[in-house]
Amino acid sequence: MKNQSINTNEEYKYGFTTDIENIRAPKGLNEKSIKFISEMKKEPKWMLEWRLKAYKRLKNLVEPNWQKPKYPKIDYQNLYYYSAPKSASNKPKSLDEVDPKLIETYKKLGIPLNEQKKLSGVAVDAVFDSVSVATTYKEELTKKGIIFCSISEAIQKHPDLVKKYIGSVIPITDHYFATLNSAVFTDGSFVYIPPNVRCPMELSTYFRINASETGQFERTLIIADKGSYVSYLEGCTAPMRDENQLHAANVELIALDDAEIKYSTVQNWYPGDKDGVGGIYNFVTKRGACRGKNSKISWTQVETGSAITWKYPSCILQGDNSVGEFYSIAITNNHQKADTGTKMIHLGKNTKSKIISKGISAGKADNTYRGLVDISRKAKNSRNYTQCDSLLMGNKCGAHTVPYIKNKNSSSTVEHEATTSKINEEQLYYCNQRGLNQEEAVSLIVNGFCKEVLQQLPMEFAVEAQKLVGISLEGSVG
Amino acid sequence: MIENFKINSNEIDKINFINKEDKNFRIENLNAFNSTGFPSKKEEDWKFSDTQAIFSKNFKKLNLDNSNSKETDIKLIKDFDHNYVFLVNGKLVNSEFKFEDKSKIKISNYHEEKFSETNSKNPFICLNHALSNNGYYLEIKEGYKFEKVLVIYNLFTKDLSSQILNNKNKIVVGKNSELHTVNYTINRSKNKFINNSYESTILFENSKYKNICIQASKSDGYFHKFSNNKLRSDSNFSSFIFSSGLKFYKQDINIDLEGENSECDIKAALFLDNDEHQEIKTKINHLVPNCKSYQKIKNVLDSEGRGIYQGKIYVKDIAQKTNAYQLSKALLLDDNSEFNSKPELEIYADDVKCSHGSTSGSIDENSIHYLMTRGLTKKEATQLLINGFLNEIISEIKSSTIRKFVENKIELQIHGY
């Protein structure tokens, strides 16, 4: 794996024919390809300037190298930064052409047939059930004044909102991958909830039309105006068909006075095979700003996929009485590596944060929790509670905890606790005795271990996620 | 300027007892130090203790001259019977073992013994390897148990000003032996100076070593101490660290649990105020199965006191049945005080029990209120609670006379609150 170069053009691991005829930006990272992307997206001038500014900055940055998971060097000049499929004709025509293993997983997760088609990239008819479902939803949202569209559409139709908020949480001067994304992002979601509106449904990328092929440099911007509420779901429990090896997405959340954003992620991208060959590098920057008083941002994530996951969904608690939450399950098997955690930056008075992180490591995998709790001098009466538990299966894997805790305030309280252990033999034995086989028993126990986090997921997601936890650990015990 | 403080290689020539091999090693380390200078917060290990900033704020110049002071008069501790080793600015000047069998003890100047040290990336260790010119070597032969405690008086003389002292000490505890020491630092200098020491300890099979570290009074010293401890099977190492009263103190403790069933514990009770900065950094390496480690660090921080705890537990894949525990607690009394911690776990074995906890916060208002309803003033109530908070550590000292001695020292500091 170490010596393999990253190539977006590589044949897809599940055995699809991937040689789709594409419209592509010129190869390489340069001003020309950025201009090409901007032009293809018919972006206004200010957007292009913003991208170029980020690119200029990028030239002075170096890739970070402090993180635990090491990966082969990425040749940024050998990547295509824009590629849109010309037609759907080259995609698999029916589910029969899709890898049976993938179909088997879908069945285990209980995903309806039509969804299976969409997920595996099968070209679908115009009258596809979920499309019409999506259209009905869209009407309902428009009635309430909610804007939910792709970021490219938002740049054209709602430039004022985008201009005001884009880059305000993750500035173009941020770290390498975030800046790279700012320069070359291709698409993503945009959500705006007007004041005092409670979004009536869980928004999901799945329901967004034209959401397929979001690309490797995704950019999401969610703004919850005063007194509003939104719950957003990203990703899917099913393995995603994806051809790009490097993913550097940026997600920005902004919550104004009394607003609440709940952001849930289930990530199950291709983790590479049993020997650790291939797999996605998931280098994501997610950051939320609780700008207003009494605002709340809650991150929930279930990370089971990707060869390397490297992400720290963070909360900047600027407004007084604002609340940040982070619930995470990271499961790594075989040669997967996950380095994930959160940053809770307390700036306002009476701010609260809660971190619950569960790491499960099996096979030869490495799982790291890395987090920061920073209570500034002005954040009087702030409160943090952190709990990170790790579960190890076998002695070839690793579990690490690296919390940074800074407290500069005498009226604030910070608590952190962490444990590392293995699955209790007695519990396993008990389950076996009651007729569960080894794998079912492990799945049951691990689900119990993760319960606090799974509870945070929206109902329909939670059921699938539970099954996913079991599937991810298949073959790790016994 | 301190920012680009460099040391001339002729400083090494001034040390007169070195051979060629030793000299090459020193030059290598000197170059290593010169290439980095004092570490700044850009280095991960120095994130919370930016020595470059701290030193350049407090020192206009630094020199390497040895003190010529003839001061040797100190008041011995009268609270308990003890043997002693007497160091002046790190140099061994006297020792007395009147309670012990002298044939079982070997004490000498450190340069009379061969020290084989490995290179390190820590600039302070490089600096020490390059320039260390004082220190002691203490060896307890096989099967000898100390009758009384050994106090190591470490006197820093009045004439110190802007010096950097580099000392190197080594303690060897033989098979089935036992040693109990108290490191007692007396600082007479009213000026600022830096003391950079390096200590290595080897505990052979089934031996025990207990150490208590305490200062006589507050002072303007800037200390860095690295200690490298190796534990063979069935050995037991225990270390107590109490308030230093120094302006800056970073203790970097590395413990290798090399033999099965070895155990170590580190306990600290610190009360820091007035711009005092103290960091405890530990790295406990569980390299073989069935070892235990235990760490408990308690900090009370008043006006601009900064407490830091960076602890790491490393468990190698073969080190099954490891039991490791880490706890840091801090009380912040003032809004200008600060507590930073980074309790880290790096675990590669599955059948282990590892946990850590870290808390920081203010004194419980309800407890203060309760005590005040019982007639205590707010100050008395606070002092009582601080005392109780730190006493949890102090009460674990087994010898009652030494415990009382430590209690008195700590109480004096708290009363200043």
Side-chain angles (χ1 to χ4, degrees):
Chain A
M1 189 180 98
K2 292 264 145 52
N3 302 320
Q4 204 189 13
S5 70
I6 296 177
N7 188 349
T8 44
N9 217 4
E10 198 171 49
E11 198 180 27
Y12 187 56
K13 308 297 177 309
Y14 285 118
F16 292 111
T17 343
T18 52
D19 197 37
I20 308 170
E21 219 186 307
N22 284 342
I23 301 171
R24 280 190 175 137
K27 212 177 196 179
L29 181 59
N30 48 41
E31 278 191 23
K32 218 171 136 193
S33 51
I34 291 167
K35 277 179 185 156
F36 183 87
I37 295 168
S38 194
E39 205 174 301
M40 285 306 291
K41 303 213 148 287
K42 301 190 181 68
E43 283 176 358
K45 210 178 158 207
W46 61 267
M47 197 66 234
L48 175 66
E49 273 164 15
W50 195 77
R51 281 174 185 274
L52 290 173
K53 219 165 129 190
Y55 175 64
K56 211 172 151 192
R57 169 84 191 178
L58 185 71
K59 283 195 265 189
N60 300 326
L61 288 175
V62 281
E63 259 180 83
N65 61 359
W66 48 266
Q67 76 282 20
K68 203 158 182 69
K70 298 290 176 221
Y71 55 92
K73 212 170 152 39
I74 300 167
D75 183 2
Y76 294 95
Q77 296 307 335
N78 198 25
L79 294 178
Y80 291 104
Y81 289 88
Y82 180 83
S83 113
K86 235 180 195 170
S87 67
S89 58
N90 283 10
K91 290 184 174 182
K93 290 191 181 58
S94 75
L95 279 179
D96 299 340
E97 287 175 32
V98 176
D99 186 10
K101 256 193 195 160
L102 198 63
I103 302 292
E104 202 182 306
T105 319
Y106 288 159
K107 280 186 187 143
K108 276 185 196 157
L109 287 167
I111 292 169
L113 197 72
N114 273 332
E115 278 188 48
Q116 287 186 23
K117 282 185 182 167
K118 188 162 180 173
L119 291 164
S120 52
V122 173
V124 287
D125 307 323
V127 268
F128 175 39
D129 271 0
S130 82
V131 174
S132 52
V133 169
T135 329
T136 16
Y137 275 139
K138 196 144 193 182
E139 270 168 24
E140 206 181 324
L141 293 176
T142 322
K143 231 185 269 169
K144 296 219 169 206
I146 295 170
I147 305 168
F148 180 35
C149 59
S150 73
I151 193 116
S152 324
E153 198 183 325
I155 290 169
Q156 285 165 20
K157 290 189 183 159
H158 312 281
D160 297 345
L161 280 172
V162 178
K163 211 171 171 177
K164 186 170 173 193
Y165 290 108
I166 198 165
S168 71
V169 188
I170 306 171
I172 52 172
T173 50
D174 220 87
H175 67 91
Y176 190 87
F177 292 106
T179 308
L180 177 68
N181 177 291
S182 297
V184 300
F185 73 88
T186 41
D187 218 333
S189 307
F190 175 82
V191 178
Y192 173 77
I193 315 287
N196 304 316
V197 170
R198 203 184 154 85
C199 185
M201 70 199 71
E202 317 273 348
L203 295 183
S204 157
T205 34
Y206 179 70
F207 288 122
R208 210 189 65 218
I209 312 171
N210 305 329
S212 65
E213 299 283 336
T214 39
Q216 59 187 133
F217 299 105
E218 203 175 330
R219 183 131 199 154
T220 301
L221 179 60
I222 298 176
I223 304 144
D225 213 325
K226 285 174 188 168
S228 65
Y229 167 85
V230 62
S231 166
Y232 185 89
L233 309 181
E234 181 203 72
C236 199
T237 45
M240 284 290 278
R241 176 182 191 267
D242 200 309
E243 292 144 37
N244 301 311
Q245 213 174 359
L246 169 72
H247 273 251
N250 277 9
V251 176
E252 290 177 284
L253 310 184
I254 294 136
L256 301 180
D257 287 359
D258 305 299
E260 183 178 343
I261 302 175
K262 198 174 151 74
Y263 194 103
S264 316
T265 312
V266 173
Q267 185 260 108
N268 188 20
W269 284 332
Y270 184 58
D273 67 8
K274 271 192 176 147
D275 302 315
V277 176
I280 306 275
Y281 299 157
N282 186 23
F283 301 161
V284 184
T285 311
K286 290 186 171 178
R287 207 172 292 161
C290 286
R291 292 265 157 87
K293 281 175 191 160
N294 310 316
S295 54
K296 181 177 174 182
I297 287 178
S298 169
W299 297 99
T300 308
Q301 60 171 25
V302 178
E303 301 284 329
T304 59
S306 295
I308 300 174
T309 302
W310 186 21
K311 70 179 223 185
Y312 313 95
S314 311
C315 295
I316 304 166
L317 304 167
Q318 286 165 295
D320 291 352
N321 312 321
S322 56
V323 179
E325 285 175 356
F326 175 75
Y327 300 94
S328 164
I329 301 173
I331 302 176
T332 49
N333 201 347
N334 299 324
H335 285 265
Q336 274 178 280
K337 291 183 168 41
D339 195 316
T340 180
T342 185
K343 285 183 180 183
M344 292 291 174
I345 299 167
H346 291 254
L347 301 170
K349 283 177 196 129
N350 308 316
T351 46
K352 286 196 190 92
S353 65
K354 186 174 175 185
I355 301 168
I356 309 278
S357 165
K358 308 274 179 183
I360 299 140
S361 217
K364 288 177 181 159
D366 255 322
N367 204 327
T368 308
Y369 166 83
R370 195 184 298 273
L372 166 75
V373 175
D374 189 346
I375 304 214
S376 72
R377 208 137 270 170
K378 284 181 183 158
K380 302 254 185 251
N381 296 316
S382 294
R383 185 84 175 79
N384 161 267
Y385 174 74
T386 306
Q387 187 191 335
C388 26
D389 298 323
S390 308
L391 201 60
L392 285 159
M393 297 186 190
N395 62 352
K396 297 238 158 42
C397 52
H400 320 298
T401 319
V402 192
Y404 292 80
I405 303 154
K406 297 182 183 176
N407 189 353
K408 293 182 187 157
N409 195 307
S410 68
S411 56
S412 301
T413 307
V414 185
E415 282 175 282
H416 172 99
E417 57 182 335
T419 60
T420 304
S421 55
K422 69 170 189 174
I423 288 191
N424 193 322
E425 299 281 344
E426 278 173 29
Q427 285 176 0
L428 270 180
Y429 180 71
Y430 181 87
C431 291
N432 291 155
Q433 232 184 5
R434 291 292 180 280
L436 296 176
N437 68 30
Q438 197 76 354
E439 273 181 4
E440 286 167 334
V442 169
S443 166
L444 187 73
I445 293 166
V446 172
N447 264 306
F449 176 75
C450 303
K451 206 171 144 199
E452 282 162 285
V453 177
L454 289 170
Q455 276 170 350
Q456 298 297 326
L457 286 170
M459 180 59 192
E460 56 273 55
F461 236 32
V463 179
E464 286 182 9
Q466 256 182 41
K467 290 182 191 158
L468 182 65
V469 167
I471 292 169
S472 307
L473 290 168
E474 261 176 17
S476 62
V477 177
Chain B
M1 289 302 284
I2 308 300
E3 281 90 347
N4 39 30
F5 176 70
K6 295 258 189 315
I7 291 163
N8 200 315
S9 59
N10 63 23
E11 293 291 341
I12 292 176
D13 300 327
K14 287 185 196 163
I15 309 166
N16 49 20
F17 46 76
I18 49 182
N19 59 32
K20 203 180 164 199
E21 194 190 333
D22 190 13
K23 192 174 172 178
N24 287 338
F25 178 70
R26 282 171 185 268
I27 288 174
E28 213 177 286
N29 277 286
L30 187 90
N31 292 336
F33 175 81
N34 281 345
S35 69
T36 56
F38 291 115
S40 72
K41 66 181 172 201
K42 284 180 191 154
E43 308 289 320
E44 179 68 22
D45 285 349
W46 301 87
K47 209 178 174 71
F48 303 116
S49 298
D50 188 339
T51 49
Q52 203 165 86
I54 293 168
F55 289 175
S56 57
K57 194 175 139 196
N58 289 292
F59 292 93
K60 286 211 174 61
K61 62 173 177 72
L62 284 170
N63 62 60
L64 297 154
D65 305 336
N66 277 333
S67 155
N68 300 315
S69 174
K70 296 281 180 293
E71 277 175 73
T72 47
D73 56 312
I74 48 159
K75 272 188 214 148
L76 294 180
I77 298 168
K78 294 210 175 69
D79 303 50
F80 47 89
D81 289 339
H82 60 273
N83 308 290
Y84 68 83
V85 167
F86 183 32
L87 311 170
V88 176
N89 297 334
K91 190 179 180 183
L92 177 69
V93 290
N94 195 2
S95 64
E96 190 186 83
F97 294 94
K98 66 177 173 191
F99 300 97
E100 314 297 333
D101 177 354
K102 287 182 190 87
S103 67
K104 297 285 184 187
I105 301 159
K106 184 179 177 190
I107 179 122
S108 58
N109 259 317
Y110 101 99
H111 58 82
E112 289 160 24
E113 295 297 324
K114 184 142 176 59
F115 275 62
S116 54
E117 303 300 348
T118 44
N119 283 326
S120 163
K121 278 183 186 155
N122 180 342
F124 278 92
I125 298 177
C126 294
L127 182 68
N128 189 292
H129 283 341
L131 298 174
S132 54
N133 49 6
N134 279 316
Y136 64 89
Y137 173 86
L138 174 68
E139 184 184 335
I140 315 303
K141 304 253 162 78
E142 238 179 86
Y144 184 73
K145 290 184 176 152
F146 260 57
E147 296 289 329
K148 297 278 183 218
V149 61
L150 168 68
V151 177
I152 298 163
Y153 292 96
N154 209 341
L155 174 73
F156 292 95
T157 53
K158 262 183 217 154
D159 61 333
L160 288 176
S161 170
S162 302
Q163 256 99 346
I164 309 182
L165 304 169
N166 291 289
N167 327 307
K168 204 168 244 164
N169 307 319
K170 187 167 183 171
I171 296 172
V172 178
V173 186
K175 256 187 203 171
N176 305 321
S177 296
E178 247 182 78
L179 173 67
H180 185 179
T181 61
V182 173
N183 274 50
Y184 190 62
T185 305
I186 305 159
N187 186 358
R188 295 225 177 102
S189 169
K190 294 269 184 295
N191 302 312
K192 292 170 178 173
F193 67 94
I194 297 170
N195 183 52
N196 177 22
S197 57
Y198 181 102
E199 193 170 286
S200 60
T201 313
I202 300 175
L203 273 73
F204 281 95
E205 286 77 3
N206 200 27
S207 62
K208 270 194 185 139
Y209 175 44
K210 238 197 254 179
N211 170 262
I212 293 174
C213 191
I214 194 161
Q215 315 267 322
S217 60
K218 295 203 176 268
S219 68
D220 251 0
Y222 291 75
F223 282 30
H224 178 268
K225 180 180 175 182
F226 175 80
S227 65
N228 195 10
N229 307 281
K230 294 193 184 302
L231 273 69
R232 300 283 167 83
S233 52
D234 301 298
S235 60
N236 188 315
F237 173 69
S238 146
S239 175
F240 285 91
I241 301 162
F242 295 105
S243 288
S244 66
L246 293 163
K247 279 288 165 213
F248 173 87
Y249 199 4
K250 175 160 175 162
Q251 295 205 48
D252 193 340
I253 302 164
N254 184 63
I255 297 177
D256 292 336
L257 298 161
E258 291 178 340
E260 283 201 38
N261 301 314
S262 54
E263 280 181 40
C264 69
D265 56 75
I266 296 169
K267 291 166 195 146
L270 309 171
F271 182 91
L272 307 174
D273 65 358
N274 288 336
D275 212 7
E276 287 172 2
H277 181 123
Q278 182 150 6
E279 168 165 351
I280 294 177
K281 177 173 177 280
T282 62
K283 184 162 187 235
I284 312 239
N285 302 308
H286 285 263
L287 305 172
V288 292
N290 298 312
C291 293
K292 260 191 198 168
S293 70
Y294 181 90
Q295 295 173 70
K296 200 175 205 175
I297 312 291
K298 290 194 142 192
N299 273 283
V300 178
L301 304 153
D302 195 18
S303 58
E304 292 180 38
R306 276 189 81 173
I308 294 135
Y309 171 63
Q310 290 199 65
K312 183 169 187 172
I313 296 172
Y314 170 83
V315 181
K316 206 176 165 182
D317 55 357
I318 58 160
Q320 298 290 7
K321 307 276 176 206
T322 286
N323 191 343
Y325 183 74
Q326 214 180 24
L327 178 70
S328 79
K329 283 188 168 184
L331 274 185
L332 278 75
L333 304 176
D334 190 282
D335 276 351
N336 290 319
S337 57
E338 189 176 329
F339 182 68
N340 298 321
S341 76
K342 186 181 155 200
E344 219 179 310
L345 300 174
E346 188 173 348
I347 296 161
Y348 293 97
D350 63 338
D351 192 7
V352 298
K353 255 198 231 161
C354 291
S355 54
H356 68 191
S358 171
T359 62
S360 66
S362 56
I363 284 194
D364 181 24
E365 290 292 330
N366 288 335
S367 308
I368 299 249
H369 177 77
Y370 176 86
L371 291 171
M372 284 170 77
T373 60
R374 292 296 181 276
L376 269 69
T377 63
K378 189 163 185 190
K379 197 175 168 183
E380 284 167 336
T382 315
Q383 279 170 359
L384 191 69
L385 289 169
I386 296 170
N387 219 335
F389 180 78
L390 296 177
N391 220 346
E392 199 190 319
I393 302 287
I394 302 166
S395 64
E396 286 184 47
I397 301 174
K398 287 209 179 78
S399 153
S400 62
T401 46
I402 298 174
R403 190 171 62 235
K404 273 216 178 98
F405 174 75
V406 173
E407 264 171 21
N408 287 336
K409 286 275 168 212
I410 301 279
E411 226 160 88
L412 273 178
Q413 290 186 356
I414 297 171
H415 274 286
Y417 164 69

